[in-house]
Amino acid sequence: ETGVTQTPRHLVMGMTNKKSLKCEQHLGHNAMYWYKQSAKKPLELMFVYSLEERVENNSVPSRFSPECPNSSHLFLHLHTLQPEDSALYLCASSQEAGGGYEQFFGPGTRLTVL
Amino acid sequence: AQKITQTQPGMFVQEKEAVTLDCTYDTSDPSYGLFWYKQPSSGEMIFLIYQGSYDQQNATEGRYSLNFQKARKSANLVISASQLGDSAMYFCAMREGRYNQGGKLIFGQGTELSVKP
């Protein structure tokens, strides 16, 4: 595997379900990010982890819960979502302090909440 | 206030011609970075080019170049010799501040580019 991978690629869930999105980066980076991309809107940053520590929580509802067990893996735990949470969820990674600073993105998980 | 503005929701270009995608930004931080990403219909965001606020020369990467006009706060993307595979959404993004602890990218609303054969 190379780059940034995300699973699943597509997810349909009910409002009462609990699911998790997984992201893995194979680039040796030390920062990881979750973004939300809704139709007709710019990408919105949700969470930033740097050296496995959360450094940004961008006023995201508590029904989204991130987890970063190590520098290569990032999860987004979902529970009791709303239909307006349907979107493309993108994970990214970057190398901070000495890297090129560009963020490399995964292919995204397209989430539909019924 | 919107920090990144892309005023062209959609653009058309003939294959093999050059096209410029506009981006203006707003920041009071002297240290910032500007990025362009391409998003095909598959959804993945592909990094294209980066310009640092202190870079003296315009960035270039193959057929992509960034027309950086600091005084005007603009960072337009120029794609030369357009190809059919260039059809996609293009996003301009900015990162402010020091690069030491995770970077917050602020994205524009995007421009949808369609390349005509």
Side-chain angles (χ1 to χ4, degrees), chain A residues 33-84:
Chain A
Y33 311 79
W34 279 117
Y35 288 87
K36 175 184 178 183
Q37 187 179 25
S38 305
K40 308 295 183 188
K41 286 187 178 180
L43 272 77
E44 302 169 62
L45 178 67
M46 299 175 74
F47 301 105
V48 179
Y49 276 84
S50 178
L51 300 173
E52 300 155 42
E53 191 176 318
R54 193 190 307 179
V55 296
E56 178 98 18
N57 178 350
N58 218 23
S59 303
V60 180
S62 59
R63 56 185 183 269
F64 294 92
S65 174
E67 178 190 0
C68 187
N70 55 61
S71 60
S72 299
H73 294 86
L74 186 65
F75 295 89
L76 188 63
H77 304 300
L78 316 171
H79 65 98
T80 59
L81 294 192
Q82 305 297 312
E84 59 264 29

Side-chain angles (χ1 to χ4, degrees), chain B residues 48-68:
Chain B
L48 297 177
I49 197 166
Y50 165 79
Q51 180 85 42
S53 58
Y54 295 117
D55 293 343
Q56 295 295 312
Q57 294 190 323
N58 287 347
T60 60
E61 287 286 349
R63 293 187 298 112
Y64 304 107
S65 61
L66 201 152
N67 185 0
F68 182 45

Side-chain angles (χ1 to χ4, degrees), chain B residues 65-95:
Chain B
S65 61
L66 201 152
N67 185 0
F68 182 45
Q69 298 189 43
K70 198 169 182 177
R72 293 186 177 184
K73 294 188 175 178
S74 76
N76 298 340
L77 177 70
V78 180
I79 305 175
S80 62
S82 298
Q83 301 171 357
L84 296 177
D86 293 335
S87 294
M89 283 291 289
Y90 288 81
F91 291 94
C92 180
M94 178 176 67
R95 173 179 174 158

Side-chain angles (χ1 to χ4, degrees), chain A residues 17-36:
Chain A
N17 291 157
K18 285 187 180 181
K19 295 286 184 183
S20 295
L21 309 186
K22 179 183 175 183
C23 175
E24 185 173 358
Q25 60 96 0
H26 310 268
L27 300 167
H29 289 165
N30 57 16
M32 297 187 75
Y33 311 79
W34 279 117
Y35 288 87
K36 175 184 178 183

